[in-house]
Amino acid sequence: GAVVSQHPSRVICKSGTSVKIECRSLDFQATTMFWYRQFPKQSLMLMATSNEGSKATYEQGVEKDKFLINHASLTLSTLTVTSAHPEDSSFYICSARWDPYYGYTFGSGTRLTVV
Amino acid sequence: RKEVEQDPGPFNVPEGATVAFNCTYSNSASQSFFWYRQDCRKEPKLLMSVYSSGNEDGRFTAQLNRASQYISLLIRDSKLSDSATYLCVVNPGNTGKLIFGQGTTLQVKP
């Protein structure tokens, strides 16, 4: 149980285009999802907290107009990287908490390459 | 100072060895603690939660010292399949956010 499905797993796009990444909780309701980014040989950095039915909360230094988050239902959150640039190339991972004691479950990640 | 600090390693150990990883965190109000395992180019997977009394799961033992703000992970009888990056993760409050350490890379060799 507690599966989060993330798509696509890998995407290559041209500079200036937008990319949408989806995360779905398959067997539980996720009122809150978290979006992380991980650059090579670095740790996961929280970008934003996605709340169902309300605006996302962004971490300091993350441009909310560039990284659009929509959490329209209890099972789906999307991250759209708008006007992507090569420096946006990274590993993007979503996460949701399914139990307060046993931690969080993560999507399988999306490797974005902007050329 | 980073909120969660780990020695990035790498730790190169032979099969069967015992290896310990340490982690410190800066927020004394942190409420829950975890060790995650991340394989190359994959998502993190929960290895174990860490409790104040210490806890063990097979070959893995986790300890928490709140006074020193220190977390440890001990792996006994290392297997080749233990090779991965081990992430120390802290939940600093009730927001649900997780703060990740840089990770410690373990390479178990035959």
Side-chain angles (χ1 to χ4, degrees):
Chain A
V3 176
V4 171
S5 173
Q6 183 173 346
H7 295 280
S9 59
R10 185 173 297 184
V11 59
I12 301 172
C13 70
K14 291 184 177 179
S15 279
T17 60
S18 296
V19 173
K20 181 186 280 189
I21 302 170
E22 287 191 353
C23 263
R24 292 180 185 274
S25 56
L26 298 186
D27 48 6
F28 68 103
Q29 293 183 331
T31 54
T32 302
M33 283 194 179
F34 304 92
W35 287 94
Y36 294 85
R37 180 168 55 181
Q38 185 177 34
F39 291 107
K41 298 193 185 300
Q42 294 187 26
S43 190
L44 278 75
M45 296 298 295
L46 181 66
M47 299 174 66
T49 302
S50 163
N51 301 298
E52 186 269 334
S54 64
K55 291 183 179 180
T57 304
Y58 290 81
E59 295 300 301
Q60 192 173 10
V62 178
E63 301 173 58
K64 62 180 181 181
D65 294 330
K66 180 170 182 62
F67 298 100
L68 301 179
I69 291 174
N70 185 284
H71 195 152
S73 77
L74 288 171
T75 58
L76 175 64
S77 176
T78 62
L79 167 68
T80 301
V81 183
T82 63
S83 186
H85 288 108
E87 56 265 31
D88 298 325
S89 299
S90 186
F91 191 48
Y92 293 85
I93 312 177
C94 64
S95 160
R97 183 167 62 176
W98 61 277
D99 183 285
Y101 299 105
Y102 295 103
Y104 300 66
T105 190
F106 286 80
S108 54
T110 297
R111 193 160 300 279
L112 171 64
T113 303
V114 184
V115 297
Chain B
R1 183 185 172 189
K2 292 180 183 176
E3 289 188 74
V4 179
E5 292 207 61
Q6 292 179 255
D7 178 352
F11 284 59
N12 295 302
V13 303
E15 269 187 293
T18 295
V19 61
F21 304 140
N22 303 320
C23 167
T24 57
Y25 60 96
S26 61
N27 186 340
S28 59
S30 296
Q31 299 194 355
S32 50
F33 310 87
F34 309 93
W35 282 102
Y36 276 76
R37 169 189 170 133
Q38 186 175 27
D39 291 288
C40 189
R41 304 172 80 88
K42 299 281 189 182
E43 77 276 19
K45 294 194 175 174
L46 179 65
L47 181 64
M48 57 199 304
S49 301
V50 187
Y51 304 118
S52 296
S53 55
N55 48 302
E56 186 174 308
D57 182 2
R59 298 182 292 110
F60 300 85
T61 301
Q63 298 266 339
L64 167 65
N65 184 321
R66 284 189 184 270
S68 302
Q69 295 177 207
Y70 170 96
I71 305 160
S72 66
L73 176 68
L74 183 77
I75 305 176
R76 290 181 298 277
D77 188 23
S78 300
K79 312 289 183 192
L80 295 175
S81 56
D82 293 333
S83 298
T85 297
Y86 291 83
L87 302 169
C88 176
V89 184
V90 173
N91 178 353
N94 284 327
T95 61
K97 295 180 186 180
L98 295 180
I99 308 298
F100 285 78
Q102 183 182 358
T104 299
T105 299
L106 171 66
Q107 191 72 266
V108 181
K109 299 188 182 297

